[in-house]
Amino acid sequence: MNSTEKRFVYADNAATTRVSEAALNAALPYFRESYGNASSIYSLGMNAARAVVSSRAKVAEAIGAKSGEIYFTSGGSESDNWAIKCVAESGAAVGKKHIITTNFEHHAVLHTCQYLEKKGFRVTYLPVDSMGLISPEQVKNAICEDTCLVTVMFANNEIGTILPIPEIGKICREKKVLFHTDAVQAVGNVPIDVSKMNIDLLSLSGHKLHAPKGIGALYIRSGIKISNLIHGGAQERTKRAGTENVPSIVALGVAISDAVKSIEEKQRSVSEKRDRLISELLKISETRLNGDPEKRLCGNVNISFRGIEGESLLLSLDLEGIAASSGSACTSGSLDPSHVLLAIGLPHETAHGSLRLSINEETSDEDIDYIIDTVPRVVKKLRSMSPLWERICRDEKIADR
Ligand SMILES: *Cc1c(COP(=O)(O)O)cnc(C)c1O
């Protein structure tokens, strides 16, 4: 560390989170002490198996499910692939080859749907409105005789909009169509009860809630028969093969219990910080907030700045010690603007100049102050060098601030 010690602010919790100390400490004994295979019958293996049982109960409790309805997977992407591909397969077997989703899902859902289209399925991509919302009526009107699945994300990872999941669940149950939700961003941020909300399948991921990367779960309501995505051994009640990732499963159990313990308190304190951040950043000229101001994840800030490139903004913020994101991590490295921002109707140019700051309960008031101090300065500097901003000012006579 040099003499000018720099602040580091991690504001990319929607991309991944830091593993909590509690989750790490709970996992550690399963690396070098209770390292047995959870399928073995000697005590070393049984210890691991017991830990898996207890973690499954914790995950189930966190979303109002029963233990027998939870299947551990390698993460959100696998859970989404499993739910969608395998429900589609069952649907096809009885002549139902239509799927309904939205046009702003995570790529784990969108690319799976596109893959199924190539395999002869019909997919309806419901267009979200300018806030990133769809109405339950849109879903209702899209359901056909041959619809086998509705898959709608609980909360959007880029703009933070929370969708009307209980209302959509009710419609799907009435119409007897299976309902899957990618709740990766919602678990731990929004109270979830799969039975009250009529959710049939739900994907969640560990690394978005302070557990390690590479662990997740799929909730499958009991009574739903779905084929395997991963074939092999008899793990996960024969439904998902592969030796159990015991340390990560244990960490997920601890992290998810912690995450749902204090959702109301977290929502209150984090959204207060979020709103301060939003109102201060919107004081910069020619900016806009993306996503619904109210139906919004407590930690999500997504703002477009006209006249600058998101990528250069991110690089400049990194030099100032702020880790943030533009669009989603999955699209970085490509020059296409985020499909989510295009879906809510932003022009390409505006979508390109977007910044996502995702904060959480670990973000301090001083961190927020630092962001509020840094972002306007960086935006001003980038705009002063931007031919695009110069053109905007000339064409629209905006006073440069
Ligand atoms: C992160 C994320 C995923 C992917 O989860 P992984 O565990 O990284 O595979 C899927 N959906 C949403 C909404 C996400 O935010």
Side-chain angles (χ1 to χ4, degrees):
M1 186 86 47
N2 59 30
S3 55
T4 54
E5 198 175 313
K6 199 172 61 179
R7 201 178 178 91
F8 175 69
V9 176
Y10 184 71
D12 205 12
N13 288 284
T16 197
T17 59
R18 184 181 193 177
V19 174
S20 74
E21 223 169 304
L24 175 65
N25 288 336
L28 283 176
Y30 296 92
F31 283 103
R32 292 187 50 83
E33 290 151 40
S34 296
Y35 55 83
N37 185 316
S39 303
S40 306
I41 57 162
Y42 42 79
S43 13
L44 194 68
M46 300 282 270
N47 285 344
R50 265 194 296 275
V52 172
V53 168
S54 137
S55 183
R56 197 186 308 283
K58 292 189 176 102
V59 173
E61 197 193 342
I63 59 168
K66 299 188 285 267
S67 273
E69 298 174 315
I70 302 298
Y71 298 85
F72 291 113
T73 66
S74 66
S77 300
E78 185 189 325
S79 297
D80 286 342
N81 271 263
W82 186 8
I84 298 167
K85 285 179 188 163
C86 297
V87 167
E89 192 179 297
S90 312
V94 292
K96 295 186 169 185
K97 297 187 76 171
H98 178 229
I99 295 166
I100 298 169
T101 186
T102 75
N103 62 349
F104 86 150
E105 297 291 313
H106 189 275
H107 282 139
V109 169
L110 277 186
H111 289 167
T112 303
C113 287
Q114 285 160 11
Y115 165 81
L116 287 171
E117 277 185 295
K118 287 201 197 103
K119 299 272 163 189
F121 287 82
R122 214 167 82 251
V123 180
T124 301
Y125 299 92
L126 297 174
V128 297
D129 69 13
S130 61
M131 293 294 158
L133 285 166
I134 57 162
S135 69
E137 288 67 39
Q138 275 174 285
V139 175
K140 193 174 192 170
N141 296 337
I143 293 176
C144 304
E145 281 289 287
D146 64 341
T147 307
C148 59
L149 177 70
V150 170
T151 173
V152 174
M153 71 197 318
F154 209 118
N156 185 272
N157 46 303
E158 291 188 38
I159 58 172
T161 301
I162 299 169
L163 287 104
I165 294 304
E167 292 80 0
I168 296 171
K170 188 161 173 277
I171 286 168
C172 293
R173 192 57 57 87
E174 280 164 13
K175 298 273 188 184
K176 298 190 170 63
V177 175
L178 290 179
F179 177 39
H180 166 253
T181 185
D182 174 341
V184 171
Q185 293 289 333
V187 177
N189 287 312
V190 183
I192 296 177
D193 185 314
V194 287
S195 60
K196 282 202 191 104
M197 295 175 170
N198 290 312
I199 296 167
D200 296 310
L201 303 109
L202 177 146
S203 303
L204 63 90
S205 172
H207 74 100
K208 305 288 173 76
L209 46 82
H210 304 290
K213 294 154 190 66
I215 188 70
L218 179 65
Y219 151 80
I220 308 175
R221 186 166 59 79
S222 63
I224 295 176
K225 297 229 173 343
I226 115 172
S227 54
N228 289 26
L229 181 69
I230 311 277
H231 298 269
Q235 292 89 357
E236 298 297 291
R237 282 105 63 220
T238 75
K239 294 308 295 173
R240 197 278 188 182
T243 303
E244 295 86 344
N245 180 354
V246 182
S248 292
I249 288 174
V250 170
L252 174 59
V254 170
I256 201 169
S257 296
D258 286 345
V260 299
K261 220 170 356 200
S262 49
I263 291 186
E264 278 79 16
E265 160 58 23
K266 176 181 177 180
Q267 281 178 333
R268 206 169 25 250
S269 72
V270 178
S271 62
E272 205 179 286
K273 295 191 175 85
R274 173 200 68 190
D275 293 341
R276 187 158 75 87
L277 201 46
I278 291 175
S279 68
E280 288 300 319
L281 294 183
L282 287 181
K283 287 180 184 163
I284 302 171
S285 68
E286 295 299 301
T287 57
R288 54 162 279 150
L289 175 70
N290 299 312
D292 194 281
E294 264 107 50
K295 293 170 188 139
R296 186 179 198 96
L297 290 172
C298 58
N300 177 286
V301 176
N302 189 311
I303 291 187
S304 297
F305 303 91
R306 287 187 73 196
I308 57 176
E309 280 288 334
E311 299 285 298
S312 19
L313 181 56
L314 289 190
L315 291 175
S316 305
L317 289 178
D318 184 37
L319 291 175
E320 304 280 346
I322 297 174
S325 158
S326 71
S328 63
C330 323
T331 53
S332 67
S334 96
L335 285 173
D336 291 334
S338 135
H339 70 286
V340 173
L341 298 177
L342 296 182
I344 60 169
L346 290 198
H348 278 237
E349 185 195 298
T350 314
H352 265 304
S354 301
L355 173 70
R356 178 187 71 185
L357 297 158
S358 41
I359 60 169
N360 67 8
E361 66 287 347
E362 292 177 347
T363 315
S364 68
D365 284 317
E366 290 72 32
D367 291 338
I368 302 290
D369 291 339
Y370 184 67
I371 299 174
I372 289 172
D373 187 59
T374 309
V375 173
R377 196 157 43 76
V378 169
V379 168
K380 188 172 179 183
K381 191 177 108 207
L382 291 175
R383 278 178 173 171
S384 73
M385 306 184 302
S386 154
L388 181 60
W389 178 245
E390 202 179 301
R391 201 194 70 214
I392 292 169
C393 291
R394 185 161 15 87
D395 293 354
E396 304 180 17
K397 306 211 166 40
I398 300 160
D400 193 353
R401 288 211 255 156

